[in-house]
Amino acid sequence: MILETKRLILRPWQESDAEDLYRYASNPEIGPIAGWPVHTSVENSLEIIRSVLSKPHTYAVVLKSEGHAVGSIGLMIGEASHIGLSDNEAEIGYWIGVPFWGQGLIPEAVREIIRYAFEDLNLKKLWCGCFDGNIKSKRVMEKCGFMYHHTRKDVPWPLTGDVRTIHITCLSKEEWSENASKE
């Protein structure tokens, strides 16, 4: 499945994206705040493409003007989620390379994933979380209509070997439909 917005193409990750993934995921400003370790080599990024980013409903964020992957977005449906959801709900995860921060690209990608989840996959509710201190991710959630639901404290996070506080938001299909009809 390939999704498209005005400025973006959301497409499945390919092994040929490993260098682009490493270029952005090796920056320490990205992974740790998102809950994963900094990529250490192109080979490490290739392994992540094969083991993590090849999962269903996981997409490379490709800026049309750049022509290569600059970030990632995905849906973790039901049990694939980190927060224990039913089969008609999903969690959204996303990140984008530092050179592309502040341009509204991830909100644009999130809005398209929301549309896809509700219209094409007929999901009923979407969830999105961010770790304490990830203000940029929190702003994306707010811009895209997610509402605060709850906070989980002292959550062991094996990928980074620490304990985190997670702020969780949600958006129902009904809320999304209401907001879409106002625009």
Side-chain angles (χ1 to χ4, degrees):
M1 171 68 69
I2 295 176
L3 304 170
E4 195 167 334
T5 70
K6 182 179 178 185
R7 299 181 291 170
L8 304 171
I9 295 171
L10 309 179
R11 60 149 174 85
W13 282 91
Q14 303 162 357
E15 290 188 4
S16 60
D17 293 323
E19 283 189 30
D20 293 322
L21 177 58
Y22 176 68
R23 179 180 303 123
Y24 302 113
S26 61
N27 187 319
E29 291 186 73
I30 304 278
I33 195 78
W36 42 269
V38 171
H39 289 209
T40 56
S41 65
V42 172
E43 293 73 25
N44 175 224
S45 291
L46 177 59
E47 180 52 37
I48 297 297
I49 289 171
R50 290 175 176 158
S51 62
V52 177
L53 299 177
S54 63
K55 292 184 177 165
H57 309 293
T58 302
Y59 302 95
V61 175
V62 178
L63 190 59
K64 289 178 181 177
S65 64
E66 297 286 321
H68 63 268
V70 298
S72 187
I73 191 165
L75 290 170
M76 295 159 281
I77 299 174
E79 292 181 4
S81 164
H82 298 288
I83 53 178
L85 302 176
S86 67
D87 289 343
N88 63 359
E89 299 179 342
E91 178 183 357
I92 296 179
Y94 50 80
W95 65 268
I96 196 162
V98 172
F100 307 98
W101 286 5
Q103 299 175 33
L105 296 167
I106 281 297
E108 185 174 323
V110 169
R111 286 184 190 103
E112 177 57 16
I113 279 288
I114 290 169
R115 185 212 57 77
Y116 171 67
F118 289 145
E119 290 183 355
D120 299 349
L121 299 178
N122 200 29
L123 297 177
K124 302 299 179 213
K125 188 176 275 190
L126 295 174
W127 298 83
C128 196
C130 68
F131 295 113
D132 213 26
N134 191 343
I135 304 303
K136 289 175 178 36
S137 190
K138 181 181 180 204
R139 278 293 298 135
V140 169
M141 289 182 263
E142 292 168 351
K143 287 178 184 179
C144 293
F146 285 84
M147 300 298 287
Y148 174 79
H149 190 270
H150 68 279
T151 296
R152 291 176 53 202
K153 294 184 178 200
D154 301 321
V155 177
W157 203 256
L159 281 176
T160 51
D162 57 3
V163 175
R164 305 268 180 126
T165 295
I166 308 171
H167 304 286
I168 299 173
T169 63
C170 67
L171 176 66
S172 71
K173 187 173 187 176
E174 293 76 25
E175 291 164 336
W176 174 76
S177 293
E178 274 183 32
N179 291 336
S181 68
K182 293 176 186 174
E183 293 176 356

